[in-house]
Every structure is written in C-alpha cells, then in structure tokens.
Amino acid sequence: MVEILNKLLRCRIDETDKEVHEALARLGAFCGSDRTYVFMVREGGLMDNTHEWCAEGIEPMVDTLQAMDVNLISHWVEDLSADKPIHIPQVAALPDDRLDRDILLAQGIQSLLAVPMADDGQVMGFVGFDAVRQEKSFLPGEIYLLKSVADVIMSVLWRRDTHHAYKAAQCALDEERAFLDRILRTSVSGILVFNADGQIVFANDAAKTTLGFQMCEESFAFNIKDWTLTNLDGKPLPPEDVPVNKVLATGQPVTDQRLALVFEDGSRRFLSVNAAPLQTASAGRMRVVLAVSDVTEQVLANRELQSALLDAQQASQAKTRFLANMSHEMRTPLNGVLGISELLDALVTDAEQKRMIGVIRDSGELLLSIINDLLDMSKIEADRLEIEQVSFVPADLARRIEATHTVRASEKNISLAILTTSGAQVPRMGDPNRILQIMHNVIGNAIKFTEAGEVTMALSCQPGKPLIIDIRDTGIGMTDEQLSRIFDDFAQADTSISRRYGGTGLGMAIVRRLVTLMGGTIRVTSRMGEGTKVRISLPLPLANTAPPPVEKLTGEAAPSGELDLRVLAADDNGTNRMILQAMLRNLGVSVTMVSGGLPALQAFDGELFDAVLLDISMPDLDGISVLKELRLREVALGRTPVPALAVTANAMDHQIRTYQEAGFNGHISKPISQKALREALERAVLRHAAAE
C-alpha cells in the first residue's frame, strides 16, 4: 500500500492515468476483488467510469458506464457526501425496489465496496471494488487502507485536471496576447492631421511609410498641394474633390474615398482615405484628421478578379458549348447502339443471344446515364438549372419509384418497400421531375450497394410540415471517412467500390445540390456492414390547384396496337434513319423517310401527313429552318398546322426550350426508344386533335 501511495504521489502529470490504472490493478489483487474502477462526478449530475481494471475472465464495463445519472445511486449519495464508504456484502439481499440493485446485478456483481472521494461535503467520485465470482465482505482494516488510497487518487486526478486547466488557460492567454500583437504589427493604416492651410502637422510611422515621405520635424513644411492625386482611372483629381479640401469646405466627414497618389518616378499607390473635421478650441480653426490605408494590392487584385471573372464566364460558356456538342456527338452513336439492340431484342429468340443484347443495352444505358449526370452537374455549376413550381401529388411519385425499381430489386433477391402517409394524396407545389431524380439516385444507390436484406423508402407528407423522404438499406454501409466524402464531385468510397459497382460518383453530389436548390436539407448516417440511412427534407407548400393528369408510370406495360398515322421523318444520318424507320413500322406507322431538310420540304408538298419528325442538325437545312418553311407553306396552302417533333441529340434544357419557342410540339431525345417514340407521337397527335 505504501508503494502504491508513493508512486501515485510522485508520478508525473502525463503519467497520471497510467499510474492510476496500475494502482487499481494492485489494489484489486491486494483485496481480492474481480473488478476495480474509478467513477468521477461531473457537472450536470452525471458520472463517468474513467478508469477500470478487471481480473482475468471478468467482462469490462468501462465503455458502457458513461454519462450515468447520479440519481441511479441516490441511496449512496448521502453516505458518500459524508465521506462514508458504501459496503454491500450481498447485492441480492438489497430490497427489490432499489435501482442500484438492478444495475449491480445486471453487471454480475455479488458484493461491492464504494470508497468515497469527497471534498467539503461534495461527492467528487468514488473508487469501486466488485466481487463477481463469489460474495465477499471487506474488513474494516481493508476499508481504512483503501480509503487512504482513494484520497490520494482523488488528489492526483485533481492535480492533473488543475494542471490541464491551467495550461489551457495559459495557452488561451498566450494566443490572445499574440493576436493583439499581430494586429498592432500588421496594421497598415496611417494617421495624418492637416491644418487649415493644407499642411501636415502630424503623421504616424505607418502614414510616412504608406505615403513615402520624410517630414522635417522643425517646419512640418510638406504641403498637400505638392502631391499629384488622380482618380483610380488615372484622371486628375479636381482640387475640390481632394478629401482634405472637402472637409475644410463642408465640415462633413469623408468615408472611404479611393484615389491614387502618383510619385515623381511615375509609380502609383492606390489609397483609401477617411477624413473628418477636428476643431481646435484655442485657435478656433479647423483641422482635418485622415486615416489612410494602402489598397494598391486590393485594387490590382480586383482588376485581376474582374479579368479572371470575364475569362471564367467565357470558359464556362465554352464548356457549355463543348458539353452540348459532346452530348450531341455521343448521343448520335448511342442512338445506333441502343436502337439496334432494342430492334434486335424483338427479333431474336435464342436465350444466349438475348442475354448478349441485354448486355449491349445495359452498357449503352449506363453510358447515357453518365452523360446525363455530367450535363446536370454542368447546369448546376453554371447556375442554369431551373427548379419548377407546379402542382403534383407525392403519392404519384412513390408509385413511379416502385414501378421503376421493383424489378431490379427482385433480380437481386432483396425486398423493396415504398411507404407513404395519409397526406401523400394532397397536392404540393414543387418540381416533381427533380424530386423523382433525387429519389431515383438515392434508391438506385441503395439497391446497388445492397446484396441481401431490404431497401425501404418512407414518404412522410404531414400537412403544414416539409415533405420528408426516409430511405434505408441493409447494404455494405460506409466508414466515417467515406461518409465525409459522399457529397464530393466524382467521389467513390474507394477504387474497389468503383470497380465493383461502377458509376461516376456524381449521383449524391447532384442530389445534395438539387435539395439545396429546393431549400431543403439532406442527412446521411451509415455504419460499415450495417447499411445506410438517408433523410431528405423539402419545404414544399400545399398546392391550391389540382395537378395535371399523371403520365404512364415507367415500368408499366407498353401500349399495344398499331398507330394508324402517316409520318414524314427527316434525318441526315443513315443509321438513325434505319432505326427510326424500323421503329415507326413496328408501331404500324406509314413513314416517308428522307435524308435531309430540303428533301423533307419536297416530300411535304406532295402528301398529307399526321405528324412530322425532324432532326435538328441536318447539313443542308436544319430542323428549325425546315419547320419555319413548312409553316409558311401550310399558310399558303390553307392547311392545318401538322404536329412537329424535334428528334435530336441536343438534350440540354436551354436547347429544348429553343425548339419549343421555334414551334415544335414536342421533342424526342436520342437515343430513341420505341416506347418513347410511341408516347411522343400519341401526345402530339392527341393534343393536336384536342386543339382542333
């Protein structure tokens, strides 16, 4: 015991915890306890198990006994405050209604001794000794010796905490002194005082350095009229606009006037000047005090910033043009890949061949999704992504999500549950397409990274509250480090994730930016090997009007039956013509296919059509010009305007708006699917018929 006390009292501050742990181990062996520990009481009526030793085979409890309410041991507090030990030889013999009985038995404790650490009637903590394997009674002599050790433990822990508090306070004080010293040393403001004659009568060192002069202490003869002052643009500063003259003339202060001081060698220094009148009672004449700051670097930096901003705007415009061109150039061959694979799938019956065609389609659709992600990110970065405000029903979005993702979840043998509250049928105002995009991205990730178990989406639509989307999966989960990067552009958990699951790493970055654009919040929690939870809150107000009819849900059976239509279609690309013609014929459409804008005009004159499909980018005559000429000819011939659809690989929002403004009744984005082609034709023809 003497050795224990000596080691504790002589230990260095940085070895306090080590020595306390060693002392607990020796005390446990000394008194034959199975578990020895220290509890410290902190502010707020909570206590923590700070140190613990366990005999071999005894389960540690230190991790679970943190931030415990002191009231759980209310029967002990009075005795501990009076510096009296708590000795319970038989825990099982305690009354059934005591909280401490249940707590101790849950830890397997049969006997217990708690030696107080108290100071002036206040409980600071206690040192505990547990008997787990068999009951034990502590002798009075043992308790007396253990009490002396507990006092020393409290002393060394208090010494450690006091030392740390002192060091922290000293560090804070040193930082504050250093901060004030840096302010004084780095100040660039100069102070000057001018008399009514415009002469400097006082200047501090910073002013002399800033203005580049040395003053004669006998005469203070330096005169402001000898300075060459200009505006920031280099034009001479009129005398009446000089700050000192302004104050002398008006008696009013001048705030942050920017001007340039030109030296004899032609160099310039840009200044920010604040001036105020200073009355002198003795002479009755006004003086002017100036605060001068050198803003040369700031002015030059602003000029560089403006130049850089102009360059960035031009670069952004160039990037937008590049992405538009690349989107067009990539969608055109993709139209061939996906279109031919869709047509082949309907013709091929061999299972292995169908599987290979499916691989082609899946690969093409993956590339298309990457293109779409890049375009979305580009629009968000350029602040060109617009959030609509239209009426929609949240339950309709839930049905779309279920129809889209059920098959994929079934293919992986995982459960997909889409749940909604009773308010999901009440219309709200927002952008349903972008909300669907958010749901698709998060649900898609959940299914992608879940190999077994379930994926659940709960849509909470309580009146007067935000729309809450909770998505939970039992997938692979993420570490804290991976979770910290989840919203970074092009971020994947690691390279193995990218290799195994694919993707661009843009999905969640786009989701967060869309949520932010809608004024909402997103929170993600995850544990490695246990799954991920995503909560999205969107402040969407209730709608005053009913939403438009809901379009057919993705995943529903494609409409059957042939379309009894006569269609004129123009495209300069031979592959696109072959695909478009085959798809139209599969739909039962009588198609006249031409290879350019001029042949389209010739064909239009010779026959009546129910609809016209025009490629936008044709070398002889583009689609917009063709449509303009068709409308002129319809007027001349007295015909009713025929529905026109833009068939284009230009799929950016501003491009689609351009086609609408040009008079197109709709558009079909390449790559073309037979289902999208049918729906676009039906919408255009039905709207045209309704308008008539």
Side-chain angles (χ1 to χ4, degrees):
M1 294 296 292
V2 172
E3 286 183 16
I4 293 173
L5 294 175
N6 284 335
K7 290 196 71 175
L8 285 172
L9 291 171
R10 294 176 180 177
C11 73
R12 299 202 310 265
I13 295 293
D14 58 350
E15 293 183 345
T16 299
D17 289 324
K18 172 187 171 185
E19 293 298 337
V20 169
H21 279 294
E22 184 176 330
L24 292 177
R26 298 184 69 181
L27 288 172
F30 168 75
C31 63
S33 68
D34 298 312
R35 188 186 296 119
T36 310
Y37 48 86
V38 174
F39 262 94
M40 296 298 292
V41 177
R42 56 184 167 96
E43 293 182 1
L46 300 176
M47 57 183 182
D48 302 306
N49 189 176
T50 60
H51 304 76
E52 181 187 65
W53 168 84
C54 295
E56 185 176 353
I58 300 300
E59 181 182 1
M61 292 292 171
V62 65
D63 292 334
T64 59
L65 301 178
Q66 302 297 322
M68 297 181 63
D69 191 339
V70 173
N71 291 324
L72 294 175
I73 56 168
S74 57
H75 290 85
W76 303 6
V77 173
E78 183 176 350
D79 285 343
L80 292 175
S81 300
D83 211 21
K84 296 179 180 179
I86 305 297
H87 186 201
I88 307 176
Q90 289 184 308
V91 173
L94 293 173
D96 292 341
D97 59 350
R98 281 186 49 162
L99 288 176
D100 53 345
R101 180 181 186 274
D102 295 335
I103 295 172
L104 297 176
L105 289 177
Q107 299 175 59
I109 300 173
Q110 298 192 48
S111 303
L112 173 139
L113 173 66
V115 182
M117 295 188 296
D119 181 35
D120 195 21
Q122 181 179 358
V123 179
M124 309 301 292
F126 60 88
V127 179
F129 302 86
D130 295 345
V132 178
R133 293 190 176 94
Q134 60 184 12
E135 293 180 353
K136 172 181 173 58
S137 293
F138 290 85
L139 300 175
E142 288 181 304
I143 296 175
Y144 177 80
L145 290 174
L146 294 175
K147 178 65 177 69
S148 64
V149 177
D151 290 340
V152 173
I153 289 176
M154 180 182 72
S155 175
V156 297
L157 290 177
W158 179 85
R159 182 186 65 178
R160 179 202 62 185
D161 293 342
T162 302
H163 175 77
H164 288 168
Y166 170 78
K167 295 293 288 185
Q170 186 65 45
C171 182
L173 180 60
D174 292 343
E175 288 181 357
E176 186 68 18
R177 288 174 176 172
F179 174 70
L180 294 175
D181 183 61
R182 286 195 300 271
I183 290 177
L184 293 175
R185 287 189 293 104
T186 59
S187 175
V188 293
S189 295
I191 304 297
L192 303 98
V193 177
F194 289 81
N195 62 21
D197 297 324
Q199 294 177 327
I200 300 173
V201 296
F202 171 81
N204 66 356
D205 291 340
K208 296 174 185 178
T209 301
T210 299
L211 300 178
F213 66 86
Q214 292 295 326
M215 186 180 299
C216 178
E217 296 183 359
E218 291 80 9
S219 62
F220 291 99
F222 197 90
N223 194 303
I224 191 173
K225 296 176 182 178
D226 297 329
W227 292 359
T228 302
L229 300 176
T230 70
N231 290 307
L232 296 184
D233 58 8
K235 295 179 180 179
L237 189 68
E240 62 273 15
D241 289 339
V242 173
V244 173
N245 295 344
K246 279 185 180 180
V247 175
L248 290 174
T250 64
Q252 299 298 316
V254 173
T255 304
D256 193 24
Q257 181 175 345
R258 300 292 179 97
L259 50 84
L261 175 62
V262 182
F263 295 100
E264 293 181 356
D265 60 2
S267 61
R268 289 192 302 172
R269 184 169 292 173
F270 297 103
L271 307 175
S272 170
V273 179
N274 292 279
L278 184 64
Q279 295 289 347
T280 56
S282 58
R285 302 184 67 188
M286 183 186 297
R287 293 185 178 184
V288 180
V289 58
L290 262 69
V292 180
S293 298
D294 187 345
V295 293
T296 303
E297 292 185 2
Q298 179 183 346
V299 170
L300 295 179
N302 284 340
R303 290 179 178 179
E304 292 179 1
L305 180 61
Q306 292 297 323
S307 177
L309 180 60
L310 179 61
D311 291 342
Q313 290 172 341
Q314 293 174 345
S316 177
Q317 294 170 357
K319 183 178 73 171
T320 301
R321 290 193 298 270
F322 170 77
L323 285 173
N325 292 336
M326 288 303 299
S327 172
H328 178 275
E329 294 303 321
M330 295 177 73
R331 285 174 183 272
T332 298
L334 265 179
N335 187 51
V337 173
L338 293 177
I340 290 295
S341 62
E342 181 176 355
L343 294 172
L344 282 175
D345 189 57
L347 299 175
V348 171
T349 58
D350 181 78
E352 180 62 16
Q353 292 175 350
K354 275 187 170 292
R355 186 190 67 79
M356 290 188 287
I357 291 172
V359 171
I360 294 174
R361 292 183 66 177
D362 289 345
S363 299
E365 288 170 357
L366 175 59
L367 179 56
L368 181 61
S369 70
I370 292 172
I371 294 172
N372 290 335
D373 280 351
L374 290 172
L375 290 179
D376 275 343
M377 185 57 68
S378 173
K379 286 183 284 187
I380 292 172
E381 289 179 347
D383 199 23
R384 297 181 65 171
L385 188 69
E386 298 179 0
I387 300 298
E388 291 184 329
Q389 290 296 322
V390 298
S391 177
F392 73 96
V393 175
D396 293 338
L397 304 188
R399 284 192 288 271
R400 285 173 175 259
I401 291 295
E402 187 171 28
T404 301
H405 294 281
T406 296
V407 173
R408 187 178 174 207
S410 298
E411 290 173 349
K412 298 188 69 175
N413 293 320
I414 60 177
S415 171
L416 175 63
I418 307 296
L419 311 173
T420 60
T421 62
S422 58
Q425 296 293 341
V426 179
R428 298 229 179 188
M429 295 298 294
D431 191 330
N433 292 325
R434 292 302 179 183
I435 296 172
L436 269 176
Q437 184 179 0
I438 290 171
M439 292 179 177
H440 280 310
N441 277 356
V442 181
I443 286 281
N445 276 350
I447 294 175
K448 179 196 296 187
F449 296 113
T450 300
E451 300 299 335
E454 63 180 4
V455 174
T456 303
M457 184 185 87
L459 196 63
S460 175
C461 312
Q462 299 298 324
K465 295 184 178 180
L467 182 71
I468 303 296
I469 306 168
D470 283 308
I471 298 172
R472 179 180 60 83
D473 66 63
T474 57
I476 61 176
M478 289 176 283
T479 65
D480 291 342
E481 193 276 333
Q482 292 168 349
L483 191 61
S484 68
R485 297 186 288 107
I486 190 173
F487 296 120
D488 293 350
D489 297 347
F490 304 102
Q492 293 277 20
D494 55 46
T495 55
S496 64
I497 294 295
S498 179
R499 288 195 303 268
R500 181 178 179 187
Y501 296 98
T504 61
L506 282 175
M508 291 305 292
I510 292 173
V511 165
R512 184 183 66 170
R513 299 194 188 195
L514 288 176
V515 169
T516 302
L517 285 173
M518 296 180 191
T521 59
I522 179 170
R523 182 166 57 89
V524 182
T525 58
S526 185
R527 294 190 66 178
M528 198 68 181
E530 296 184 12
T532 300
K533 296 179 182 179
V534 180
R535 165 162 284 203
I536 298 168
S537 176
L538 300 175
L540 306 178
L542 297 178
N544 296 322
T545 58
V550 179
E551 296 181 5
K552 183 189 300 292
L553 300 182
T554 303
E556 290 184 355
S560 60
E562 295 186 348
L563 300 178
D564 185 17
L565 299 174
R566 292 161 300 170
V567 172
L568 170 62
D571 197 307
D572 64 296
N573 184 283
T575 302
N576 291 343
R577 288 199 303 273
M578 179 181 68
I579 294 169
L580 187 57
Q581 186 171 25
M583 287 183 174
L584 288 170
R585 286 178 176 172
N586 287 344
L587 295 174
V589 173
S590 175
V591 57
T592 299
M593 181 64 65
V594 296
S595 61
L598 294 176
L601 294 176
Q602 295 172 358
F604 185 79
D605 290 337
E607 189 177 349
L608 294 176
F609 296 98
D610 298 306
V612 176
L613 306 181
L614 298 174
D615 180 33
I616 292 298
S617 302
M618 294 184 288
D620 59 345
L621 196 64
D622 64 82
I624 293 177
S625 300
V626 173
L627 180 61
K628 183 178 180 181
E629 181 60 27
L630 290 183
R631 295 300 185 226
L632 292 175
R633 295 188 183 190
E634 287 172 335
V635 172
L637 296 173
R639 294 184 185 177
T640 302
V642 65
L645 297 175
V647 183
T648 176
N650 299 326
M652 299 185 77
D653 289 345
H654 69 283
Q655 294 169 324
I656 294 172
R657 284 196 299 270
T658 300
Y659 309 147
Q660 293 172 342
E661 293 168 358
F664 281 96
N665 302 91
H667 80 284
I668 306 172
S669 294
K670 297 176 183 176
I672 303 170
S673 70
Q674 193 163 291
K675 179 176 178 293
L677 182 60
R678 171 189 278 275
E679 291 178 350
L681 281 170
E682 287 179 339
R683 278 197 303 268
V685 173
L686 288 175
R687 289 175 183 172
H688 180 67
E692 291 182 342

